[in-house]
């Protein structure tokens, strides 16, 4: 699934770090850019290119909610449910999103547009509550803001 | 040396010691979860927090190294509070399903909460659950043939994954996600299936990883643990049998750092089915009109002894022969040879039924070349280079294999040379594949390279220049050069192989079954000795050539004189030696041997030429087989005597490194079976000989008197102290 150029770039990463495992994240960024998600075969390929075991790659990738798995919707909504966001109402926002999108956390809308996840701290406590949709942060959220964001995304499709 | 005080008690310890270790020496307990002395310390769980004077925050005892004048408190209010706090955190998401948890009664979390935890819970929210399948009982998930995972109970110490990575050198278990969602798992559809997987059930402090075969069968406190020794291979891991009444429920490690370092292989841990197997032989059987039928003991003993006496009377003692086994105890084997030598009156005794190529018998000075291991199991991990030759180490000697992996972790080089690739090859700096039966040609090539490039250690080798010249001539002959071509190993590979060998500070060579039963076994072993000498390692501690026997008591069987030409302790037979197994078969075919008594061996499955053995043994007037199950050989016997399994008797096994270890009886022999030694006594007594031994201890005592190499060993303390019971 990876292009020859990406494969080449990934295997070049091997020599760039004293610890080969460190190459997993930059490699996965390349995957994200090119494919947009990962699956079992991609992880296997990345492991092979970096000379690591599949397990090492899979463990690292699973640590970051940032990397979407195959089957994820076009827009991956990740709501932070860690301390600061929780204190400022993240729980209510999650259930609001569930209601609005008619899916539960961890699910994708039948049209494949939205996936809803609750995630750990995204390092934006100062602007809590917040969520991330694909690469973009939406901060200081409330219900009205969420309505607006979802509407905009639906328009864009 | 460093002096410090812990809880007001002073202690002097070596530099680099951790607070945890120092406290241990004082007998002060510091609770831990993520610490395991065989694994890298990670300091992750914070259970071991202690107070150190002049340091504002509490420190982890497992990772903090002592310093001069340090004052540590493990009992201050702060420490007590911290422990409570850590436990409270762990219990936030722990399901506390102790009533249905298999770990209940031996769970470290349960025990530490009992001891240090709070008596109240402040937690009212719902708990985290890892729902694997809404239909699964208690959220259990099978992650391999032996292991069931219940993630709800996991406390994220990661000891399981660290064991699999660091000790077993595998990667079929991993840590996924993070924070409170952290999950121990396998890769999708790739079950944990390495030969050491069962250890995680013992290492896991809670009921998150449990054993499929043990779980939900019984509560541990209803079982009794019997210390004994694993019967499955020659490594001799120390185990506990957990039994109730006459049934084994599980086997766990009884850590012995000289042997197993607290780990077992899955074969040893889970392979005990045969003991309580429904097919166990329950009564003596005699073949009548071509059919085996049950007979009482006294009738059977009478039948056997009168047949033996008749044959002895008609054609002499040498028309009988005995085959012992590396799978039964020293005491049983000792009695067996005594029965044949003193009651029957023949030296036709052997146990080597699995090869046509027998090694010469050693002499009393036991450092003979053809004798087992020169090194100890522990020395393997200290050698700078390990050469594994003709051996699938993981399969043949799982625990020794872990020592090689350990050496590798410590930076040693691993060389592997085999006819086919083995799993150890993944760790090999050099993994050579030679064509089967070209070992000598390959080794000659190696020796030649060392000699021709003058890379040998002239001074240390002790070879005279003429000896070197002889050796050079042999290995550099045109025949040798031609033969090297047939090995399938190129010159470049030999070069890099030799390069590693001559650079190494110590060399341990491990040879497996492929070498021991090789037609050129003697030649190969001699070449390996030359190799050790040429590289200047012959008198070093962490160097040497080691032959790894197959069975749990192969070494002891040799030691006890189950050989046609040696008495117990390798004392040479004064007169004409008896027949070895190969010659016994010939003698049967010539009509010279008429009766054979086989104890614990199964030549039909083990001998290289099954049809030949089968037709040969079929010609015997009397074939007496004594075993615990109907073996292939038993099927063609005319008399079968039911023996007791390792769990049903006392006795000793001598492991591959010559360590004599004690087996203890978990329960009486099942049904109407009897311990092998007891059966031999019955036979001897029926033939008018005294054989009055009350217990295996009496036999062992006699053995220590007769055999110079076991002399001075004491039954009561056998295997308890480190040195005890180690031959050499
Ligand atoms: S499964 Fe057991 S050993 Fe593994 S991390 Fe969890 S508690 Fe620790
Ligand atoms: S390595 Fe051998 S002795 Fe140890 S547990 Fe496995 S089979 Fe038993
Ligand atoms: S045992 Fe010290 S931090 Fe876990």
């Amino acid at each position: 699934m990876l292009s020859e150029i990406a494969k080449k770039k990934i295997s070049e990463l091997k020599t760039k770090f004293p610890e080969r495992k460190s190459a997993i994240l930059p490699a996965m960024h390349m995957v994200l850019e090119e494919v947009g998600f990962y699956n079992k075969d991609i992880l296997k390929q990345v492991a092979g290119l970096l000379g690591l075991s599949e397990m090492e790659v899979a463990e690292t990738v699973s640590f970051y909610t940032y990397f979407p798995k195959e089957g994820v919707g076009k827009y991956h909504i990740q709501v932070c449910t860690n301390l600061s966001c929780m204190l400022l109402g993240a729980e209510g926002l999650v259930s609001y999103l569930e209601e609005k999108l008619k899916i539960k956390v961890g699910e994708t809308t039948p049209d494949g547009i939205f996936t809803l996840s609750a995630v750990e701290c995204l390092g934006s406590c100062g602007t809590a509550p917040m969520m991330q949709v694909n690469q973009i942060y939406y901060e200081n959220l409330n219900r009205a803001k969420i309505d607006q964001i979802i509407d905009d995304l639906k328009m864009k499709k | 040396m460093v002096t410090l005080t812990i809880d007001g008690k002073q202690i002097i310890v070596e530099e680099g010691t951790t607070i945890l270790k120092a406290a241990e020496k004082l007998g002060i307990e510091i609770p831990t979860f993520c610490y395991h002395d065989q694994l890298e310390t990670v300091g992750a769980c914070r259970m071991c927090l202690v107070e150190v004077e002049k340091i504002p925050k509490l420190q982890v005892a497992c990772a903090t190294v002592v310093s001069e004048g340090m004052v540590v408190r493990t009992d201050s209010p702060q420490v007590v509070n911290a422990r409570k706090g850590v436990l409270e955190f762990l219990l936030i998401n722990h399901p506390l399903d102790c009533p249905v948890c298999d770990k209940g009664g031996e769970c470290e979390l349960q025990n530490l909460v009992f001891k240090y935890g709070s008596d109240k819970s402040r937690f009212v929210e719902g708990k985290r659950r890892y729902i694997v399948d809404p239909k699964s009982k208690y959220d259990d998930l099978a992650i391999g043939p032996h292991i069931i995972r219940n993630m709800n109970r996991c406390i994220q110490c990661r000891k399981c994954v660290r064991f699999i990575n660091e000790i077993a050198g595998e990667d079929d278990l991993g840590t996924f996600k993070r924070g409170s969602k952290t999950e121990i798992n396998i890769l999708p559809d790739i079950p944990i299936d390495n030969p050491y997987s069962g250890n995680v059930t013992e290492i896991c402090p809670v009921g998150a990883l449990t054993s499929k075969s043990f779980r939900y069968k019984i509560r541990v406190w209803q079982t009794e643990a019997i210390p004994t020794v694993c019967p499955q291979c020659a490594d001799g891991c120390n185990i506990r049998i957990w039994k109730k009444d006459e049934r084994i429920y599980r086997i766990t490690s009884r850590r012995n750092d000289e042997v197993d370092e607290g780990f077992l292989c899955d074969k040893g841990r889970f392979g005990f089915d045969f003991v309580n197997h429904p097919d166990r032989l329950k009564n003596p059987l005699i073949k009548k009109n071509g059919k085996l039928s049950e007979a009482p003991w006294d009738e059977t003993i009478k039948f056997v002894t009168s047949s033996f006496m008749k044959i002895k009377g008609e054609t002499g003692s040498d028309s009988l022969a005995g085959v012992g086994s590396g799978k039964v105890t020293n005491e049983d084997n000792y009695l067996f040879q005594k029965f044949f030598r003193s009651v029957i009156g023949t030296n036709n005794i052997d146990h080597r039924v699995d090869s046509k190529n027998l090694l010469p018998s050693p002499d009393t000075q036991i450092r003979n070349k053809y004798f087992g291991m020169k090194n100890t199991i522990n020395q393997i991990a200290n050698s700078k280079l390990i050469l594994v030759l003709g051996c699938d180490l993981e399969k043949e000697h799982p625990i020794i294999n872990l020592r090689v992996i350990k050496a590798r972790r410590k930076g040693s080089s691993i060389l592997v040379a085999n006819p086919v690739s083995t799993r150890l090859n993944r760790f090999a700096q050099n993994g050579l594949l030679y064509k089967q039966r070209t070992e000598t040609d390959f080794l000659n090539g190696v020796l030649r390279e060392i000699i021709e490039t003058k890379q040998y250690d002239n001074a240390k080798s002790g070879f005279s220049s003429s000896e070197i010249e002889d050796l050079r001539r042999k290995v550099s002959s045109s025949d040798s050069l031609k033969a090297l071509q047939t090995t399938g190993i190129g010159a470049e590979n030999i070069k890099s192989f030799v390069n590693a060998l001559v650079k190494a500070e110590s060399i341990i060579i491990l040879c497996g079954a492929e070498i021991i039963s090789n037609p050129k076994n003697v030649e190969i072993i001699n070449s390996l000795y030359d190799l050790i000498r040429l590289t200047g390692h012959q008198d070093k501690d962490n160097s040497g050539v080691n032959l790894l026997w197959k069975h749990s008591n192969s070494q002891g069987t040799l030691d006890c004189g189950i050989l046609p030409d040696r008495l117990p302790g390798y004392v040479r037979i004064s007169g004409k030696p008896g027949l070895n197994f190969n010659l016994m078969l010939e003698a049967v075919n010539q009509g010279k041997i008429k009766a054979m008594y086989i104890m614990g061996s199964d030549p039909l499955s083990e001998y290289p030429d099954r049809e030949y053995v089968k037709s040969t043994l079929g010609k015997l007037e009397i074939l007496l087989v004594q075993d615990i199950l109907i073996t292939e050989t038993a099927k063609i016997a005319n008399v079968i005597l039911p023996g007791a399994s390792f769990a049903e008797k006392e006795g000793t096994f001598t492991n591959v490194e010559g360590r004599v270890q004690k087996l203890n009886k978990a329960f009486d022999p099942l049904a109407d079976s009897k311990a092998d030694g007891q059966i031999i006594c019955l036979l001897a007594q029926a033939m008018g000989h005294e054989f009055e031994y009350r217990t295996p201890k009496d036999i062992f005592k006699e053995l220590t008197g007769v055999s110079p190499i076991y002399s001075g060993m004491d039954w009561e303390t056998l295997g308890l102290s480190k040195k005890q019971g180690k031959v050499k």
Side-chain angles (χ1 to χ4, degrees), chain B residues 309-328:
Chain B
M309 276 188 303
K310 186 173 145 264
I311 293 172
K312 182 177 166 179
E314 283 170 10
T315 45
S317 308
D318 287 338
S319 18
L320 290 106
V323 177
S325 161
K327 286 176 270 185
V328 304

Side-chain angles (χ1 to χ4, degrees), chain A residues 40 53-55 58-59 62-65 118 120-121, chain B residues 171-178 181 185 187-189:
Chain A
K40 217 165 91 182
S53 79
E54 220 181 313
M55 184 58 95
E59 282 179 301
S62 78
F63 189 88
Y64 299 95
T65 46
E120 300 303 326
C121 185
Chain B
D171 58 10
D172 43 8
L173 195 63
T175 321
F176 293 85
K177 304 193 187 155
R178 66 173 144 158
K181 298 194 178 72
N185 213 345
L187 286 175
D189 310 323

Side-chain angles (χ1 to χ4, degrees), chain B residues 9 30 32 72 84 88 101 152 163 195 198 207 227 239 322 389 442 444 456 466 537 718 723:
Chain B
K9 289 184 210 153
I30 297 177
T32 63
V72 180
K84 255 197 197 129
E88 187 173 19
C101 176
N152 300 339
F163 164 79
I239 58 167
L389 182 71
F442 158 58
N444 281 342
Y456 55 90
S466 70
H537 295 302
L718 208 53
K723 293 281 167 288

Side-chain angles (χ1 to χ4, degrees), chain B residues 196 229-239 259-260 263-269 396-400 552:
Chain B
Y196 309 101
V229 178
C230 177
Q232 304 273 12
C233 89
D235 295 1
C237 297
N238 291 200
I239 58 167
V259 183
D260 49 55
F263 307 117
L264 300 179
C265 77
D266 286 356
K267 183 169 58 170
R269 183 184 298 276
E396 294 175 37
H397 298 277
I399 283 298
I400 290 185
S552 51

Side-chain angles (χ1 to χ4, degrees), chain B residues 149 151 153-161 173 184 200 203-206 208-209:
Chain B
R149 187 199 81 159
M151 236 338 81
R153 299 179 188 136
C154 174
I155 58 163
Q156 279 93 27
C157 68
R158 287 191 72 247
K159 279 197 281 201
C160 51
V161 176
L173 195 63
I184 303 300
V200 301
I203 287 169
C204 179
V206 295
L209 299 174

